[in-house]
Amino acid sequence: MAPNVSCFLLAVLISASCKVITSSDQMCIEKEANKTYNCENLGLSEIPDALPNTTEILEFSFNFLPTIQNRTFRRLINLTFLDLTRCQINWIHEDTFESHHQLGILVLTGNPLIFMAETSLNGPKSLKHLFLIQTGISSLEFIPVHNLVNLESLYLGSNHISSMKLPKDFPTRNLKVLDFQNNAIHYLSREDMNPLKQATNLSLNFNGNDIKGIEPGAFSSTVFQSLNFGGTFNLSVIFNGLWNSTTRSLWLGTFEDIDDQDLSSAMLEGLCEMSVESINLQKHHFSDFSSTTFRCFTRVQALDLTATHLEGLPSGIEGMNLLKKLVLNVNNFDQLCQINAANFPSLTHLYIKGNMKKLQLGAGCLEKLENLQKLDLSHNNIQTPDCCNLQLKNLQHLQILNLSYNELLGLQSQAFKECPRLELLDLAFTNLHVNTPQSPFQNLQLLRVLNLSHCLLDTSNQHLLAGLPDLWHLNLQGNSFQDGTIPKTNLFQTVGSLEILILSSCGLLSIDQQAFHSLGKMSHVDLSHNSLTSNSISALGHLKGLYLNLAANSIRIILPHLLPILSQQSTINLSHNPLECTCSNIHFLTWYKENLQKLEGLEETVCANPPALRGVKLSDVKLSCGITALGIFFLIVFSFLITILLIFAAKYLLRYKYQHI
Ligand SMILES: *[C@@H]1O[C@H](CO)[C@@H](O)[C@H](O)[C@H]1NC(C)=O
Ligand SMILES: *[C@@H]1O[C@H](CO)[C@@H](O)[C@H](O)[C@H]1NC(C)=O
Ligand SMILES: *[C@@H]1O[C@H](CO)[C@@H](O)[C@H](O)[C@H]1NC(C)=O
Ligand SMILES: *[C@@H]1O[C@H](CO)[C@@H](O)[C@H](O)[C@H]1NC(C)=O
Ligand SMILES: *[C@@H]1O[C@H](CO)[C@@H](O)[C@H](O)[C@H]1NC(C)=O
Ligand SMILES: *[C@@H]1O[C@H](CO)[C@@H](O)[C@H](O)[C@H]1NC(C)=O
Ligand SMILES: *[C@@H]1O[C@H](CO)[C@@H](O)[C@H](O)[C@H]1NC(C)=O
Ligand SMILES: *[C@@H]1O[C@H](CO)[C@@H](O)[C@H](O)[C@H]1NC(C)=O
Ligand SMILES: *[C@@H]1O[C@H](CO)[C@@H](O)[C@H](O)[C@H]1NC(C)=O
Ligand SMILES: *[C@@H]1O[C@H](CO)[C@@H](O)[C@H](O)[C@H]1NC(C)=O
């Protein structure tokens, strides 16, 4: 008896057309009921009546509000966040935000402001963050900030401001961020800077202003969180101007399109007269580089020399005992020993990534860095047939090692013996040749995270992961398994502490039912982007509460005996599978609807078959697979006819028998 399929689904069609109507009506999107609304880019010229008075967070950018005034937002008195980016606002009238006492963040970026009334910002006394980027402002007097006693950050980037003279009543007490990026401020006087002495922990940004003069003492005896003078043509000006100042972070980098002066050792002498914890000189050229270049860096704790065209650092640099973090990304080293690491004996963090040449690791180049905790050597085209004990000699305290995106590493057994405290090892996208039947990772007692994605590994080596008692997160994405199968005995048997396992894009066709039996602690399994069928689900039978990603596999039908395994997990992603929406899959389809709260990616979990239902969301499918009344009627008639036929046949047979006696 063929199953009687009577599906479909006026409801689906009706709900689909409802959606179209609302979107052509250009409604705001409700993100949180009665509170958060997104009305971006709807061509609105007023606040829609549909927005409730209780709205607190309103994203209203890319609409049309040439003037705003006291009635524009009057209804929404509980606003805390208002984004009016690029609404073509020219005029902001008196008392516009009069009753908006809760307003904390106001974004007016990208509006060609012509006028802001003196009382326009009188209401929002709790305003903390004000964005006036790209508003055509040319003077700070334009902004009626006098009432904003709680102001913490003021963003004024990309305007035409030429003087940072603050108005008398400018509230600076709580100020944390003052951002003047890309304006036309060329001179800073003591008088300009005086009002800022009240602010503690201020971050001041003059990036892209090309400061040409600073009055001596302008920055003295003030403590800044950060100062940014990026893109300044003549850094001598800055070094002279910052005499007697104290700042945690000083950003003096430059940009490709600026043809500025080379840095000379004489210029850097200025650093002796100020106190700086962290300094960034990215993209500068050094005109002379000797062991005395860093004479005034003795108190610096972090130094960033990204893309400074370095081919080496001289030996014999003295006094840099406080330096903890050194960034040497995107330079031109041939060999790691050229950085003369012994100059920086206290380093805990070293970054050398994206070197412009193929980097040779050399032997023991970092052996003096006993305190090193983090080492980033990614994107360096490193090719080393025998790694890594000679290369990483004596890195006793190393916790994080990044060797991702290199060319080829040959690994012997116990290849990281010199770094016994490793907690995170990232080898992603580096071709690994494991030249041993044993584990190259043996004895990394503290290793928690191992990223081996896209390493072209030989996964048939059952001992590959031996000796990692604490391994918690393993990423094997993009490696392949022999015959597309994870067999019963496999490399996972030694890593029982694993909680997160990524096996996406591994070309898997099947997983043995016993393959994961030693993995009892797992909480996150990603098997997406393989070619698994539902049979492989039985390998997860002993696990509960999993986040399970089975997206983009070849799952068509999930038989009833597998459903309890899914039921005991906490979140499941079944999107992008060729799922059957026929009665042969009815048990799964019923289970699916009863467990929607467990499933993610509902929008992308759609039927692939039958053709009539292709693309319909599983949660919208209505199948009825029982026998219909008509079916029952025919069945009764059919059985009745059969019975009659049998009686006649019996009669006939009996008669035939008696006739031939
Ligand atoms: C939203 O407001 C309406 C009308 O005042 C009310 O019925 C509803 O319960 C509110 N919803 C929430 C989530 O507060
Ligand atoms: C604004 O918030 C206050 C305090 O939460 C509440 O009492 C009041 O009803 C709200 N007003 C509107 C119009 O939502
Ligand atoms: C709003 O502004 C108009 C014109 O400036 C004024 O007449 C009106 O009284 C103001 N309303 C409130 C509530 O302040
Ligand atoms: C919203 O506020 C306006 C003005 O304050 C008031 O006239 C209106 O009745 C309020 N609407 C609701 C639904 O409370
Ligand atoms: C100073 O500001 C920075 C970020 O702006 C913040 O991380 C830090 O905690 C602040 N320090 C103090 C003492 O307020
Ligand atoms: C820096 O401080 C010293 C000692 O306090 C003082 O003599 C000197 O004038 C100050 N220099 C500047 C430029 O403020
Ligand atoms: C750079 O600034 C310093 C200090 O203001 C000045 O002495 C020097 O001449 C300037 N150099 C150039 C090339 O303008
Ligand atoms: C290692 O470096 C790569 C590339 O620079 C980066 O994407 C990755 O996040 C880093 N790994 C860790 C653990 O930080
Ligand atoms: C490797 O995995 C770790 C842990 O998930 C992650 O932080 C890191 O970014 C990954 N590396 C790359 C290159 O994606
Ligand atoms: C489901 O998994 C796929 C593949 O990993 C991913 O792209 C998608 O974002 C996931 N869905 C959700 C809702 O997280």
Side-chain angles (χ1 to χ4, degrees):
M1 226 181 317
N4 192 339
V5 184
S6 77
C7 29
F8 246 123
L9 309 170
L10 210 54
V12 177
L13 292 176
I14 290 170
S15 68
S17 59
C18 285
K19 260 188 205 150
V20 175
I21 291 167
T22 48
S23 75
S24 71
D25 208 21
Q26 306 229 310
M27 286 300 297
C28 300
I29 298 164
E30 181 174 82
K31 292 176 138 183
E32 191 185 347
N34 299 349
K35 262 193 177 170
T36 306
Y37 291 85
N38 183 329
C39 307
E40 277 172 18
N41 205 8
L42 296 176
L44 299 169
S45 54
E46 58 181 11
I47 301 298
D49 290 337
L51 276 191
N53 285 358
T54 51
T55 303
E56 291 176 16
I57 297 177
L58 180 57
E59 291 164 357
F60 204 79
S61 48
F62 297 94
N63 285 302
F64 182 64
L65 294 173
T67 65
I68 55 179
Q69 48 204 306
N70 62 9
R71 62 185 164 79
T72 314
F73 304 103
R74 187 166 53 204
R75 241 173 16 88
L76 311 179
I77 57 163
N78 279 353
L79 280 177
T80 59
F81 172 96
L82 178 59
D83 186 349
L84 296 172
T85 300
R86 294 191 205 288
C87 284
Q88 302 181 40
I89 301 170
N90 300 134
W91 299 77
I92 301 180
H93 283 286
E94 283 78 12
D95 303 322
T96 295
F97 298 104
E98 188 184 36
S99 25
H100 299 82
H101 306 304
Q102 322 292 333
L103 192 60
I105 303 178
L106 177 59
V107 185
L108 290 167
T109 295
N111 288 293
L113 298 179
I114 295 170
F115 172 73
M116 276 181 99
E118 193 58 29
T119 57
S120 58
L121 294 177
N122 272 7
K125 290 207 172 50
S126 39
L127 196 69
K128 285 190 172 163
H129 309 286
L130 178 57
F131 293 79
L132 289 165
I133 299 162
Q134 280 189 24
T135 44
I137 294 177
S138 58
S139 161
L140 290 171
E141 303 281 351
F142 182 87
I143 318 164
V145 286
H146 49 86
N147 236 3
L148 305 178
V149 286
N150 290 302
L151 197 64
E152 287 183 12
S153 46
L154 179 56
Y155 295 89
L156 292 164
S158 302
N159 284 305
H160 312 296
I161 299 167
S162 57
S163 157
M164 73 151 292
K165 190 173 181 54
L166 298 172
K168 274 209 185 53
D169 44 7
F170 195 98
T172 52
R173 197 161 43 87
N174 292 310
L175 211 56
K176 297 272 179 278
V177 176
L178 195 47
D179 189 332
F180 290 104
Q181 275 191 71
N182 302 320
N183 276 282
I185 299 171
H186 300 312
Y187 187 74
L188 300 171
S189 69
R190 289 171 87 125
E191 201 190 337
D192 292 344
M193 297 298 300
N194 266 339
L196 296 177
K197 289 213 156 56
Q198 277 194 49
T200 52
N201 205 20
L202 181 67
S203 294
L204 195 49
N205 191 343
F206 293 108
N207 196 11
N209 277 276
D210 192 13
I211 303 290
K212 294 191 165 71
I214 299 180
E215 186 178 348
F219 284 80
S220 65
S221 61
T222 312
V223 180
F224 295 92
Q225 171 61 31
S226 76
L227 289 174
N228 186 330
F229 291 101
T232 302
F233 173 75
N234 182 356
L235 276 187
S236 294
V237 172
I238 308 298
F239 287 125
N240 294 342
L242 294 186
W243 271 42
N244 289 353
S245 69
T246 302
T247 173
R248 298 210 174 84
S249 158
L250 180 59
W251 207 93
L252 298 176
T254 186
F255 305 99
E256 252 109 43
D257 55 345
I258 292 180
D259 181 26
D260 53 7
Q261 286 195 300
D262 291 357
L263 279 182
S264 67
S265 299
M267 273 173 161
L268 295 171
E269 298 277 288
L271 270 176
C272 280
E273 310 299 329
M274 66 187 87
S275 165
V276 176
E277 276 175 27
S278 155
I279 181 164
N280 187 318
L281 295 170
Q282 75 162 41
K283 298 201 171 157
H284 279 287
H285 282 88
F286 287 92
S287 60
D288 51 347
F289 210 116
S290 69
S291 56
T292 56
T293 301
F294 290 141
R295 193 177 73 80
C296 294
F297 284 65
T298 52
R299 278 176 294 174
V300 172
Q301 294 175 26
L303 176 59
D304 191 331
L305 296 172
T306 296
T308 45
H309 319 275
L310 296 176
E311 295 182 346
L313 289 167
S315 62
I317 298 177
E318 279 171 12
M320 294 199 60
N321 297 332
L322 294 180
L323 195 70
K324 295 259 179 328
K325 177 176 168 185
L326 179 59
V327 183
L328 295 171
N329 299 339
V330 201
N331 281 298
N332 304 314
F333 307 116
D334 287 306
Q335 211 227 35
L336 198 49
C337 284
Q338 288 167 339
I339 71 163
N340 276 303
N343 289 325
F344 317 104
S346 311
L347 275 193
T348 56
H349 291 67
L350 177 59
Y351 301 81
I352 305 175
K353 76 171 180 188
N355 196 53
M356 305 296 276
K357 297 180 184 166
K358 199 188 234 337
L359 186 70
Q360 311 281 333
L361 289 180
C365 298
L366 306 177
E367 66 183 331
K368 292 282 156 50
L369 304 183
E370 285 160 14
N371 299 310
L372 201 63
Q373 291 167 14
K374 175 164 185 182
L375 177 59
D376 188 346
L377 291 169
S378 59
H379 284 288
N380 286 333
N381 296 315
I382 296 170
Q383 199 170 0
T384 302
D386 183 6
C387 203
C388 295
N389 285 326
L390 202 54
Q391 293 83 351
L392 303 179
K393 201 164 150 199
N394 202 28
L395 297 181
Q396 294 289 331
H397 290 94
L398 198 63
Q399 292 168 3
I400 299 176
L401 174 59
N402 196 340
L403 279 165
S404 65
Y405 295 99
N406 280 298
E407 255 165 48
L408 184 145
L409 301 181
L411 300 178
Q412 309 286 355
S413 96
Q414 300 203 37
F416 299 93
K417 201 165 57 181
E418 292 284 325
C419 322
R421 293 213 171 83
L422 270 188
E423 290 170 19
L424 188 156
L425 178 55
D426 192 346
L427 295 165
F429 294 93
T430 297
N431 186 354
L432 299 182
H433 281 189
V434 179
N435 312 319
T436 163
Q438 273 116 40
S439 164
F441 310 113
Q442 192 85 40
N443 283 339
L444 293 178
Q445 302 285 337
L446 304 175
L447 198 72
R448 301 265 294 151
V449 179
L450 181 56
N451 194 338
L452 294 173
S453 60
H454 302 277
C455 286
L456 303 176
L457 273 176
D458 172 14
T459 50
S460 63
N461 177 354
Q462 287 173 32
H463 304 288
L464 187 71
L465 303 171
L468 296 172
D470 249 357
L471 194 65
W472 166 75
H473 180 140
L474 174 63
N475 189 340
L476 283 172
Q477 176 175 6
N479 290 286
S480 57
F481 286 76
Q482 208 168 9
D483 304 326
T485 294
I486 305 184
K488 188 173 167 187
T489 47
N490 58 45
L491 75 176
F492 301 119
Q493 277 161 339
T494 56
V495 282
S497 55
L498 215 54
E499 289 182 33
I500 300 174
L501 177 60
I502 317 287
L503 285 169
S504 50
S505 308
C506 288
L508 291 173
L509 300 166
S510 68
I511 301 175
D512 186 273
Q513 195 172 343
Q514 296 289 312
F516 297 145
H517 70 273
S518 45
L519 302 176
K521 292 190 178 172
M522 284 207 291
S523 62
H524 180 121
V525 178
D526 186 350
L527 293 166
S528 62
H529 297 277
N530 284 298
S531 302
L532 296 170
T533 59
S534 63
N535 288 337
S536 301
I537 292 174
S538 51
L540 304 165
H542 61 300
L543 295 165
K544 292 194 170 62
L546 280 185
Y547 167 84
L548 175 60
N549 196 336
L550 287 166
N553 274 287
S554 305
I555 299 173
R556 290 174 46 242
I557 291 178
I558 301 184
L559 293 174
H561 74 278
L562 296 170
L563 295 176
I565 301 182
L566 295 184
S567 293
Q568 71 203 26
Q569 315 307 348
S570 62
T571 306
I572 303 166
N573 186 336
L574 282 166
S575 58
H576 302 285
N577 274 291
L579 293 162
E580 289 263 353
C581 296
T582 60
C583 281
S584 43
N585 208 10
I586 186 68
H587 293 286
F588 166 64
L589 295 172
T590 311
W591 175 90
Y592 186 90
K593 283 197 203 167
E594 287 166 358
N595 289 276
L596 287 179
Q597 80 287 354
K598 278 193 198 306
L599 291 147
E600 68 172 17
L602 297 178
E603 298 290 319
E604 290 83 35
T605 311
V606 298
C607 304
N609 208 26
L613 287 176
R614 186 167 299 153
V616 175
K617 280 191 282 173
L618 242 63
S619 48
D620 290 342
V621 169
K622 292 209 178 85
L623 280 191
S624 90
C625 298
I627 311 168
T628 61
L630 195 69
I632 292 170
F633 173 75
F634 277 117
L635 193 70
I636 291 171
V637 171
F638 185 70
S639 349
F640 185 67
L641 288 177
I642 293 269
T643 320
I644 292 176
L645 213 73
L646 278 176
I647 293 171
F648 274 105
K651 261 189 180 169
Y652 178 78
L653 265 178
L654 285 174
R655 191 181 300 161
Y656 180 81
K657 224 171 157 184
Y658 287 116
Q659 275 173 359
H660 291 79
I661 289 175

